[in-house]
Amino acid sequence: MRIGLTAVILNDQAAFLSRWAEYLSKRTGTPISFVSRDTYQTIVDQLLAAQLDAAWLCGYPYVLHQSRMQLIAVPLYQGKPLYQAYLIRPLQGESDINSWADVKGKVVAFSDPLSNSGWLVAQAQMRAAGVDPRSLKKSFFAYGHRHVAEAVASRLAQAGSIDGYVWETMRQRRMPAVEQTEVAWKSEFFGFPPLVTTHSDNDERVQKLKTVLLDMRNEAEGRDILQALNLTAFEAGSPSLFDSISRSAAAIQPRKT
């Protein structure tokens, strides 16, 4: 099985991914490899074209293609299948940015056009605050939540839209980019980026993968891998977790994919 990964997780070290793939392969009885790509769109395209068997996606592309995608598992972060989007600013700078209403005339970094926390939430918030995206001094996609933090830390951007789970994990690891940024605003909670597939629910390989993921919390090596991901566990999850993302997507008339 080939599993696509995007910037919804931070840990992209080859050694870690090799260890996790070996863990899953042994327990499912199926050779598993991870495929990392820089953009969500590339992973979505490959998944829909059956070039991947599964993918760890953001909730936004999942709701856009929900008729073709099935949930495999949803991660638990701090014990819940939820996370928040953050608006960040440079540490000891841009103190006038305290909400999305304050980004008018500013340079803002977004993560990816198919990211909920890194783009969709920002669009919904600016719309609610009456901020026309054209009123920004400049905006750009950094293509990765870590890159958003780096852009804000280096002051290439005055603010950034980022996955709160990624920012908190970077802070836990004392990564320089996060230590030079701070949180100006936090969103409501959304369904955590899920693992999905386009295969049938009855696909034996998918069912084995799901079983192993849900059981990771119950054994030492599985818990070690979860800890490296800064996650509590995986659960089966429900499509209803992503209802608020669906509503936001419908409200802003999202881009076609």
Side-chain angles (χ1 to χ4, degrees):
M1 293 186 72
R2 287 164 52 86
I3 302 175
L5 295 178
T6 64
V8 296
I9 68 166
L10 178 64
N11 204 327
D12 58 359
Q13 297 177 4
F16 171 80
L17 292 180
S18 176
R19 176 191 174 197
W20 193 15
E22 182 179 1
Y23 171 90
L24 295 174
S25 298
K26 285 181 178 179
R27 285 157 180 79
T28 61
T30 300
I32 288 177
S33 60
F34 288 109
V35 178
S36 298
R37 295 291 184 264
D38 292 334
T39 70
Y40 292 27
Q41 186 67 66
T42 302
I43 290 295
V44 169
D45 289 345
Q46 291 185 345
L47 183 62
L48 295 178
Q51 296 172 10
L52 296 171
D53 298 290
W56 195 342
L57 285 178
C58 179
Y60 183 23
Y62 166 65
V63 301
L64 290 178
H65 300 283
Q66 201 163 356
S67 64
R68 298 183 63 185
M69 294 182 182
Q70 307 290 335
L71 290 178
I72 298 175
V74 178
L76 300 185
Y77 170 54
Q78 298 181 343
K80 298 179 180 180
L82 305 170
Y83 80 119
Q84 292 170 285
Y86 288 0
L87 173 65
I88 60 172
R89 63 192 183 198
L91 188 64
Q92 299 178 340
E94 308 301 336
S95 59
D96 59 329
I97 298 178
N98 296 294
S99 72
W100 282 103
D102 302 323
V103 300
K104 186 175 181 179
K106 305 291 188 180
V107 179
V108 182
F110 300 111
S111 175
D112 187 286
L114 284 180
S115 171
N116 176 55
S117 58
W119 188 78
L120 181 62
V121 170
Q123 305 311 302
Q125 288 297 316
M126 286 192 293
R127 180 175 180 175
V131 177
D132 188 328
R134 292 172 297 183
S135 71
L136 301 180
K137 182 177 181 180
K138 180 183 178 182
S139 67
F140 61 92
F141 290 112
Y143 290 102
H145 295 291
R146 177 167 49 191
H147 298 152
V148 170
E150 291 167 349
V152 175
S154 65
R155 307 201 179 221
L156 290 174
Q158 295 166 283
S161 189
I162 192 171
D163 182 316
Y165 154 73
V166 173
W167 191 90
E168 295 290 355
T169 301
M170 292 176 71
R171 183 175 68 161
Q172 183 184 81
R173 297 178 184 176
R174 303 185 66 84
M175 296 176 71
V178 159
E179 294 191 325
Q180 296 172 47
T181 65
E182 60 185 356
V183 177
W185 171 89
K186 296 181 181 181
S187 74
E188 63 179 294
F189 285 93
F190 299 98
F192 201 97
L195 274 81
V196 302
T197 183
T198 54
H199 293 311
S200 165
D201 286 339
N202 299 321
D203 188 289
E204 184 177 355
R205 296 177 307 160
V206 170
Q207 287 303 315
K208 286 182 178 179
L209 175 61
K210 181 173 186 174
T211 298
V212 171
L213 289 170
L214 300 190
D215 197 48
M216 285 180 67
R217 71 175 89 184
N218 298 322
E219 58 178 51
E221 187 176 0
R223 288 192 295 271
D224 285 346
I225 292 171
L226 289 167
Q227 184 177 21
L229 290 166
N230 194 23
L231 296 174
T232 308
F234 288 93
E235 70 171 23
S238 166
S240 63
L241 279 170
F242 307 94
D243 285 351
S244 61
I245 299 177
S246 293
R247 289 191 293 271
S248 293
I252 69 161
Q253 298 180 336
R255 302 178 182 193
K256 301 294 183 181
T257 62

